[in-house]
Amino acid sequence: MNNNIKNMIITTATRRCCSSLVPRSSRLPLRTTTNNLRDLFLNTTTRKTQHLSTKRLRQGTLSPPRPVPDHILFPPYVNLNIPPGISSGPQLHDNYGIHCMRASGRLAAHVLQHAGTLVMPGITTDEIDQAVHQMIVANGAYPSPLGYGGFPKSVCTSVNECICHGIPDSRALEDGDIINIDVTVYLNGYHGDTSATFLCGEVDDEAKKLVQVTKESLDKAISICAPGVEFKKIGKTIHDHADRHHYGVVQQFVGHGVGRVFHSDPVILHFRNNDRGSMVLNQTFTIGSINPVMWDDNWTVVTEDGSWSAQFEHTLLITEDGVEILTQC
């Protein structure tokens, strides 16, 4: 093997509780085949008892997309006006690529940490987007979501029952909300991807438990990653932990590759499965863990019954000795 090919980088997320929650008795969507990236990049779970928002989310007012200086390197998909999709083939990195992935992951982690400090009652998700955008651009990077398949903002902010891809707008956070902030930066030609769910003000115990179990699912999934580990063990790990806490995992949505390309192979399932494939050195991907409804903005996905959702995500480096989390401060 080429001495430069030493490590596999992955991003791993418990997307949508282990990701989103509804009662275990609810009717769940079957696993589907789709070419629509908006439909694909979710992985959700269900729960015996549900947390319903007493005040359902509504679309707020959008501000214009924020400008990015011309001297910053833009991802190739910007201004192409093409639908998002998964690129075929795994992403492998040499030593320079690993160095760049570490840099992009580190920046994404610091941006997310800063965004989390802004979460408080009264702040709008658009104000969070502004702060994220400014910090990314000030560090010479491009906010990866901006212009991706027409996405109009620089970060995804998913509040309460929003499963994913929430578009920042004029809605102010309220006491008791939870919010996932999903940050991806494009630095020196490489994407660093991370997210976390934050508590806004005084949050009830049920919502806290949702966030806690989601984070635990991510940690357990990370702990089993290593060279040669089968991808299906990720799904089993998440599914087993969900079962222990009376959650059920929806089989409709998946994880994906990340690196020089925003989304690529391999497709990672977050439930028990028999799919083939193992982690190899230098490969990058994401993992994550009901009934979704998409708003007419073609991005924002919410739970049908108002059940709340949480998400955590990291970019990982698979080394010869184990795993390194790239997106932590």
Side-chain angles (χ1 to χ4, degrees):
M1 179 179 293
N2 188 320
N3 288 333
N4 289 330
I5 301 179
K6 292 183 178 179
N7 304 281
M8 172 173 64
I9 305 164
I10 69 175
T11 72
T12 180
T14 50
R15 282 195 183 275
R16 303 331 185 191
C17 190
C18 322
S19 240
S20 331
L21 305 183
V22 298
R24 188 183 290 270
S25 60
S26 296
R27 182 178 178 85
L28 301 177
L30 298 176
R31 181 182 172 192
T32 60
T33 300
T34 178
N35 291 322
N36 187 337
L37 196 67
R38 299 180 184 93
D39 294 340
L40 198 60
F41 290 154
L42 285 172
N43 196 31
T44 62
T45 66
T46 64
R47 183 178 177 179
K48 184 179 293 182
T49 58
Q50 67 191 71
H51 190 295
L52 294 180
S53 173
T54 57
K55 186 176 181 182
R56 300 293 293 271
L57 288 177
R58 295 292 183 267
Q59 289 173 272
T61 302
L62 293 184
S63 63
R66 295 184 164 84
V68 178
D70 291 338
H71 71 271
I72 290 177
L73 179 65
F74 284 36
Y77 51 76
V78 176
N79 299 322
L80 291 183
N81 197 29
I82 58 175
I86 294 182
S87 300
S88 62
Q91 298 185 68
L92 302 179
H93 302 275
D94 57 16
N95 287 339
Y96 174 76
I98 292 168
H99 170 78
C100 290
M101 287 296 294
R102 284 182 171 135
S104 63
R106 184 165 55 249
L107 176 59
H110 282 286
V111 172
L112 180 63
Q113 181 184 58
H114 174 62
T117 67
L118 304 177
V119 174
M120 63 186 68
I123 192 170
T124 68
T125 51
D126 189 62
E127 289 173 319
I128 294 175
D129 180 80
Q130 181 179 24
V132 166
H133 181 92
Q134 290 176 345
M135 186 172 179
I136 292 173
V137 169
N139 282 275
Y142 184 95
S144 301
L146 183 61
Y148 181 71
F151 194 83
K153 290 296 181 178
S154 300
V155 67
C156 295
T157 53
S158 301
V159 179
N160 298 344
E161 73 263 32
C162 183
I163 298 173
C164 72
H165 304 156
I167 298 176
D169 59 22
S170 61
R171 182 193 184 276
L173 295 181
E174 300 177 3
D175 189 60
D177 283 347
I178 62 173
I179 177 174
N180 176 265
I181 302 176
D182 194 341
V183 173
T184 310
V185 306
Y186 186 68
L187 179 64
N188 298 322
Y190 292 80
H191 298 276
D193 191 1
T194 187
S195 84
T197 298
F198 299 93
L199 309 180
C200 182
E202 294 297 322
V203 176
D204 66 34
D205 290 341
E206 188 173 1
K208 289 179 180 177
K209 177 69 177 300
L210 163 65
V211 173
Q212 175 186 342
V213 173
T214 304
K215 179 62 165 61
E216 290 171 355
S217 299
L218 172 64
D219 293 341
K220 289 180 180 296
I222 291 173
S223 71
I224 60 95
C225 291
V229 172
E230 296 175 302
F231 290 122
K232 66 183 181 182
K233 291 186 178 179
I234 292 170
K236 183 179 185 303
T237 299
I238 293 171
H239 208 152
D240 286 351
H241 192 63
D243 280 351
R244 281 192 289 273
H245 292 273
H246 307 291
Y247 291 79
V249 181
V250 174
Q251 301 181 8
Q252 189 173 4
F253 306 111
V254 301
H256 59 85
V258 68
R260 293 188 66 89
V261 178
F262 198 172
H263 300 109
S264 73
D265 288 333
V267 170
I268 309 297
L269 306 180
H270 307 106
F271 53 91
R272 297 186 191 99
N273 66 89
N274 292 314
D275 281 11
R276 296 181 178 180
S278 300
M279 303 176 193
V280 298
L281 296 177
N282 254 33
Q283 183 183 20
T284 61
F285 62 87
T286 72
I287 63 174
S289 156
I290 62 204
N291 293 314
V293 174
M294 185 176 290
W295 285 358
D296 59 9
D297 61 19
N298 289 324
W299 279 105
T300 305
V301 183
V302 298
T303 58
E304 187 175 51
D305 64 357
S307 300
W308 283 16
S309 168
Q311 175 187 356
F312 288 86
E313 183 174 16
H314 270 310
T315 298
L316 307 180
L317 171 65
I318 300 299
T319 68
E320 293 176 347
D321 299 322
V323 61
E324 172 188 344
I325 300 176
L326 300 182
T327 46
Q328 65 180 2
C329 297

